[in-house]
Structure formats: structure tokens, C-alpha cells
Amino acid sequence: MEHLETKNRVGLIVVLTGNGKGKTSSALGMVLRAVGHKLRVCIIQFMKGDLYCGEIDGVKWLAPLVEFHQTGKGFCGIQGNQIPYHEHRVNAQCAIELARDKIRSGLFEIVILDEINNALKLGLVDLPQVLELLDAKPPSLHLVLTGRDAHPEVCARAQTVTEMVEVKHAYRDGIEAQQGIDY
Amino acid sequence: MEHLETKNRVGLIVVLTGNGKGKTSSALGMVLRAVGHKLRVCIIQFMKGDLYCGEIDGVKWLAPLVEFHQTGKGFCGIQGNQIPYHEHRVNAQCAIELARDKIRSGLFEIVILDEINNALKLGLVDLPQVLELLDAKPPSLHLVLTGRDAHPEVCARAQTVTEMVEVKHAYRDGIEAQQGIDY
């Protein structure tokens, strides 16, 4: 088996957006791949934290290479979420602080900001705050930003952008969310 | 934290296709999520096997819940691949046999057929063979099929289909594939 040698390690900005399934999953898949290369990863989930999801225990298998933080209380304004807007905003602001610290720490080769695109769209974080994270990242650090409605200025700074387009989703047939697939 | 209870476990067919980054990554992310729920997963990669990628060692962290098979010798007809077509076809046919066994074994809650869409498009496997796998799967088994150019009849049988659309990709700027992100 041939081993590619990455001669020039370039810290990429990768944006995973769109309305289809696969954004967070794709970021988690990069975690599994990165661990195979013995890279260290920090995952910060914006807004998530109210519902149990498999990655909470999944990433424990990858310790000590992976650090995992949930910083929120659910998706603001949808799915019957009862938390006041200002509380979502405070949580997201804390997540931005955490992201800034982790990005600057030098402890990770990859930092994943899960659902940050969504948080920005909802006004829980501000565009200058996100752009500052992108502009201040160490050159060799990969930064992965997920969530619907990625901001055009964020995409403009990224090297790789995928739009996950929903062709079909099981929930439209009334099939409930499935363990391991959807959460 | 609230725990969703999936009352009706439905084995889904999930198709991840399109030309953008994130198809295999997304399948690998579901593996990480599934392991968190203590589900057992079998990954069969069609065509892949000539180049080292991080998931080879990444999935070792998840043993004994995850079984991983690479069955190929690279992407047929592209990237300067020198292997004769008939050899690619033999390998892909073996992968179909393996998939049939694993799907019927009852040992897994999720089976991932990575790049099978591509293998079908290239004629390394035949449409009736793939449809037979879908039609014969146990009702509770989730089957995830990745790769570009998913066949319309495969998509028709799926409950969830995402098209990963490339908006941008770093390699178009001459940036080489990066460890942990691209492989």
C-alpha cells in the first residue's frame, strides 16, 4: 500500500453546509480519519447539548486525541425549544471564547466548530467574531465549520466548501430519527 | 440531557452521492456515532486499498464494534491507476460477495458500502447485484451507500439521499490532499 506524503501541510478552512444530511457526520468522519494519523482534534458543538447523541460516547473511544465540548441547549427557535433567545446567545458567546482559546492553544491540528454557521445565521454569534477566528488561526491548523446557511464571507475564506443538498430524507416519510444514523 | 427513544427502529437505506467532499467522511462519522450507541458496524470499501488513509487506523480505536474491509486497488481508470479493468472487476465482485455475507450475518446494525455507487457506474458491479443487496437486507439493518453518480434505482429505494455538491475544493487551488481531512 502506498503512503501519500503531504509535502506542504496547509491548514484548510472547510465549510460543510446545506439542508441535507451529512454535515456533522462528515466532520465526525474527519475526526476518525485524523485519529488514524495520530492528529489531535477539538470539537466544539454550538447550540447542541440538550439531546443525547451518539458522538458523545463515540468520541470517548478516541481519547486522549479528541476533546469534545457541547456548549448549547438546543436549536434556538425550532423543535419546540423553550430556552430564551438571550440564553442561547450567552451560550454561543461562551462557545466563541472557547473556540478562540482552542484555536490559539497549539494543542490541536484540527478544530471543528459544529453548527457555527447556524449560530451565525441566528445571530447568536456575530460575523466579525467568526471572521476573526478564521483570520487568526495558525497557518497549519485545519478549521471545519458546519451548519446550514453558511455565510458567504465565511465561504469566501474557505478552501473547501460542500453544500449537502437534501434529495430525500426519511423524516419526510414520517420515519423517526434513528440511532447511529441521525443522532 | 434528554434521551430520544427511537420507538420504531427502521433499517434505512442512506445514499451519499455527488461530486463534493464529504461522502465517505459522512459515512465514517455515522460509524463514530453508532459506536456511541454500542451498535456494531461493518465497513466495506469498494475499489479503495491502494493508498493509505486515516480510517484504516482510525477504526482500530473502535474495535471490537467495527469491522473494516478494503477490497480494491484504487480508482479504476483514473489517477494514473495501472491495474487492468478485469482485475478491478474481480475485486469488486468479491466485495459484493462479502457485502452479501455481512448483510445477512445478523452481526451488524449498520453496513457501509463505501464507493459502491462508483463501482456500479464503472460497471465493476451490476445493477441487479446492488438491488439484490438492498432488497434482501434485514428490515432493521441500516445500509449506507457512498460514491459519485448514485444510480437512480438505488436512490429510488433509499429513504435518505444527500447530494454533496462541490462549491469549492482546495485541490483546484493546487493544494495537495491533507492528512485527516482528505485521506
Side-chain angles (χ1 to χ4, degrees):
Chain A
M1 184 177 295
E2 193 185 339
H3 280 247
L4 281 178
E5 290 295 327
T6 304
K7 290 180 198 80
N8 295 308
R9 205 181 133 69
V10 179
L12 300 175
I13 297 172
V14 177
V15 174
L16 306 168
T17 192
N19 67 344
K21 170 174 177 47
K23 300 177 289 294
T24 298
S25 312
S26 179
L28 294 173
M30 284 186 254
V31 175
L32 190 54
R33 208 170 249 164
V35 162
H37 292 287
K38 300 192 175 64
L39 303 176
R40 298 158 300 170
V41 186
C42 179
I43 306 164
I44 300 174
Q45 293 193 321
F46 286 70
M47 301 194 287
K48 290 174 178 170
D50 59 332
L51 281 175
Y52 177 79
C53 52
E55 57 262 41
I56 292 173
D57 285 311
V59 296
K60 289 179 184 167
W61 293 64
L62 308 180
L65 287 177
V66 179
E67 208 177 281
F68 181 74
H69 302 271
Q70 289 195 316
T71 63
K73 292 188 176 168
F75 281 83
C76 177
I78 59 166
Q79 294 175 330
N81 188 284
Q82 302 290 325
I83 310 293
Y85 181 83
H86 74 267
E87 197 170 325
H88 283 296
R89 166 109 189 157
V90 167
N91 290 336
Q93 289 295 313
C94 291
I96 283 279
E97 286 295 325
L98 185 65
R100 194 180 293 128
D101 281 355
K102 298 301 179 184
I103 287 169
R104 288 177 178 169
S105 70
L107 292 173
F108 306 99
E109 279 81 27
I110 302 179
V111 172
I112 292 170
L113 305 177
D114 188 40
E115 304 296 353
I116 192 172
N117 298 333
N118 241 323
L120 175 54
K121 177 75 176 181
L122 291 164
L124 304 180
V125 301
D126 305 318
L127 181 60
Q129 294 180 309
V130 179
L131 297 183
E132 189 225 317
L133 291 182
L134 303 186
D135 293 341
K137 86 168 184 63
S140 67
L141 180 81
H142 301 300
L143 206 53
V144 180
L145 299 93
T146 86
R148 292 181 180 214
D149 299 311
H151 195 287
E153 289 200 43
V154 172
C155 294
R157 280 168 168 79
Q159 287 77 40
T160 296
V161 179
T162 303
E163 182 167 6
M164 273 72 171
V165 176
E166 178 189 313
V167 179
K168 276 185 182 181
H169 198 295
Y171 77 82
R172 298 200 187 272
D173 293 328
I175 298 172
E176 61 189 311
Q178 300 291 314
Q179 280 188 350
I181 299 290
D182 298 304
Y183 70 92
Chain B
M1 185 178 294
E2 193 184 340
H3 280 246
L4 281 178
E5 290 296 326
T6 305
K7 290 180 196 80
N8 296 308
R9 205 180 132 70
V10 178
L12 300 174
I13 297 172
V14 177
V15 174
L16 306 169
T17 192
N19 66 345
K21 171 175 175 45
K23 300 177 289 294
T24 299
S25 313
S26 179
L28 294 172
M30 285 186 253
V31 176
L32 191 55
R33 207 171 249 163
V35 162
H37 291 287
K38 300 191 175 62
L39 303 176
R40 296 158 303 170
V41 186
C42 180
I43 306 165
I44 299 174
Q45 294 193 321
F46 286 70
M47 300 195 289
K48 290 174 178 171
D50 58 332
L51 281 176
Y52 177 80
C53 52
E55 57 263 41
I56 292 174
D57 286 309
V59 296
K60 289 180 184 168
W61 293 64
L62 309 178
L65 287 176
V66 179
E67 208 177 280
F68 180 74
H69 302 272
Q70 289 195 316
T71 65
K73 292 188 177 167
F75 282 82
C76 176
I78 58 166
Q79 294 175 330
N81 188 284
Q82 302 291 322
I83 310 293
Y85 181 83
H86 74 268
E87 196 171 326
H88 284 296
R89 167 108 188 158
V90 168
N91 290 335
Q93 290 295 314
C94 291
I96 283 280
E97 286 297 324
L98 185 66
R100 193 181 293 126
D101 281 355
K102 297 301 179 184
I103 286 169
R104 288 177 177 168
S105 69
L107 293 174
F108 305 99
E109 280 80 28
I110 303 179
V111 172
I112 292 170
L113 305 177
D114 188 41
E115 304 297 352
I116 191 172
N117 298 333
N118 241 324
L120 176 54
K121 178 74 177 180
L122 291 165
L124 304 180
V125 301
D126 304 319
L127 181 61
Q129 295 180 309
V130 178
L131 297 182
E132 189 225 316
L133 291 183
L134 303 186
D135 293 341
K137 84 167 185 63
S140 67
L141 180 81
H142 300 301
L143 207 52
V144 180
L145 299 93
T146 85
R148 293 181 180 214
D149 299 311
H151 195 286
E153 289 199 45
V154 172
C155 294
R157 280 167 167 80
Q159 287 77 40
T160 296
V161 179
T162 303
E163 183 169 4
M164 272 71 170
V165 176
E166 178 189 313
V167 179
K168 275 185 184 182
H169 198 295
Y171 76 82
R172 297 199 188 275
D173 293 328
I175 298 171
E176 60 188 311
Q178 299 291 314
Q179 278 189 352
I181 300 291
D182 297 304
Y183 70 93

